[in-house]
Amino acid sequence: MAYEYILTEKLATGIGLIRLNRPRALNALSPDLMDELGEALLAFDADAGVGCIVITGNERAFAAGADIKAMATASMADMLKQDLIARWETIHRIKTPIIAAVSGYCLGGGCELAMSCDMIVASESAQFGQPEINLGIIPGFGGTQRLTRTIGKALAMEMVLGGRMLSADEAQRFGLVNHVAPVETYLETALKLAAKIAGQAPLAARLAKEAVNNALELSLRQGLQSERQLFQMLFATEDQKEGMAAFIEKRPAQWKGK
Ligand code: DAK
């Protein structure tokens, strides 16, 4: 499918690669770009040949936020419209694991998009920030919630209230980022991690993602209960039988996604 604001590619390693592609606007997340991103995510999620999705930008910017020019004259009623919110929330419906490969600016809605992915690989030049306060607004897509749960209240307050940016090394130290790599190799690092995930038993990978994400949303009691049910469900899959048989027979498992 041809898109205008993103580029997509299905790699032989079972990865669905999505590049945000509005370089002149530092990949600002316009409504049209978000619609395309949502469509591409849903298409890869429905593709049994894709076991992991990677979202990236370019060296200078993952995304410098939602498109300020498209929001500048919006009313409260505009911002309340369900279709506006829905286009941002598509990513939360995706069952396939998603990695953000981030270089350069990762600000506002860009940082929130990266945090909505399951892991983040950053280049040494990445800068993470929630500078919405400078525009007279606050984050609206998890920048006060996911960020605080990940890096803690003290630093989140400084970022959200003071516009402080985190370098890639800081972001890794505070648990926002999985790996930091040179600008020349960060995408390769992300793709290597994605290939490893794409090679896992597909149903187990999807449920593993769901179970870990539940830890941020449910109470411990609910989370443990949900984990147990997901664990038990996997014993209804052919892949569980295959995975355990392969271990016992000392051979690599052949996953079917069934
Ligand atoms: N929106 C639109 N255009 C942007 C942009 C943005 N967020 N960021 C950069 N650009 C454009 C610039 O306007 C400029 O375009 P031209 O003037 O050349 O046409 C071009 O990209 C290059 O930017 P600069 O000339 O500013 O480049 P510099 O290197 O000097 O500065 C910068 C880079 C990243 C420091 C600066 O561009 C900047 O401060 N950008 C804005 C960062 C920001 O404030 N981000 C937060 C935006 S608010 C929602 C969910 C989420 C959100 C909203 C709704 N719902 C669920 C409904 C999120 C809100 C936000 O993200």
Side-chain angles (χ1 to χ4, degrees):
M1 167 137 195
Y3 294 107
E4 200 176 338
Y5 303 108
I6 61 171
L7 301 168
T8 64
E9 200 180 337
K10 185 172 155 183
L11 307 184
T13 41
I15 298 167
L17 177 61
I18 302 175
R19 292 175 195 267
L20 309 178
N21 190 33
R22 289 186 73 205
R24 269 173 299 183
L26 301 182
N27 289 335
L29 303 168
S30 63
D32 288 341
L33 184 154
M34 290 307 288
D35 282 344
E36 291 189 358
L37 177 62
E39 268 181 49
L41 284 169
L42 289 169
F44 280 142
D45 200 35
D47 185 335
V50 171
C52 190
I53 298 169
V54 174
I55 304 178
T56 194
N58 55 52
E59 281 183 19
R60 187 165 175 225
F62 176 73
D67 192 322
I68 299 168
K69 292 166 190 167
M71 272 185 306
T73 58
S75 65
M76 184 174 91
D78 292 332
M79 297 311 281
L80 283 170
K81 282 184 189 144
Q82 195 45 47
D83 58 337
L84 182 82
I85 297 164
R87 64 164 60 93
W88 282 81
E89 288 187 332
T90 304
I91 192 164
H92 298 149
R93 290 163 47 201
I94 304 303
K95 305 282 186 204
T96 308
I98 309 174
I99 297 173
V102 172
S103 185
Y105 296 114
C106 184
L107 305 178
C111 189
E112 293 170 315
L113 175 64
M115 288 191 290
S116 292
C117 297
D118 302 305
M119 286 182 265
I120 302 178
V121 173
S123 86
E124 286 166 350
S125 78
Q127 281 183 278
F128 297 85
Q130 298 288 164
E132 287 90 338
I133 194 96
N134 299 329
L135 302 168
I137 58 169
I138 66 169
F141 190 60
T144 65
Q145 300 302 300
R146 285 200 179 82
L147 187 67
T148 306
R149 284 166 201 228
T150 307
I151 67 174
K153 177 179 165 182
L155 196 51
M157 281 290 187
E158 208 176 322
M159 290 176 72
V160 171
L161 280 172
R164 172 169 168 188
M165 306 254 197
L166 295 187
S167 68
D169 284 340
E170 286 174 318
Q172 186 180 33
R173 191 155 11 106
F174 295 118
L176 191 62
V177 155
N178 292 76
H179 298 283
V180 179
V183 175
E184 299 74 32
T185 57
Y186 77 98
L187 183 57
E188 196 184 313
T189 303
L191 292 176
K192 225 180 253 176
L193 180 59
K196 166 96 183 144
I197 293 162
Q200 309 288 20
L203 296 171
R206 286 173 161 230
L207 296 194
K209 162 178 170 142
E210 183 178 335
V212 174
N213 281 330
N214 278 345
L216 288 181
E217 292 175 18
L218 304 179
S219 70
L220 181 59
R221 182 187 293 267
Q222 291 168 325
L224 288 170
Q225 194 179 353
S226 144
E227 180 193 75
R228 190 174 317 125
Q229 285 166 355
L230 297 174
F231 167 78
Q232 288 161 343
M233 268 168 62
L234 286 167
F235 281 76
T237 65
E238 290 182 28
D239 282 347
Q240 174 268 326
K241 301 290 173 292
E242 165 64 8
M244 294 192 180
F247 173 80
I248 293 163
E249 292 160 19
K250 298 186 189 298
R251 60 171 175 82
Q254 300 294 323
W255 306 123
K256 290 190 187 150
K258 289 184 187 167

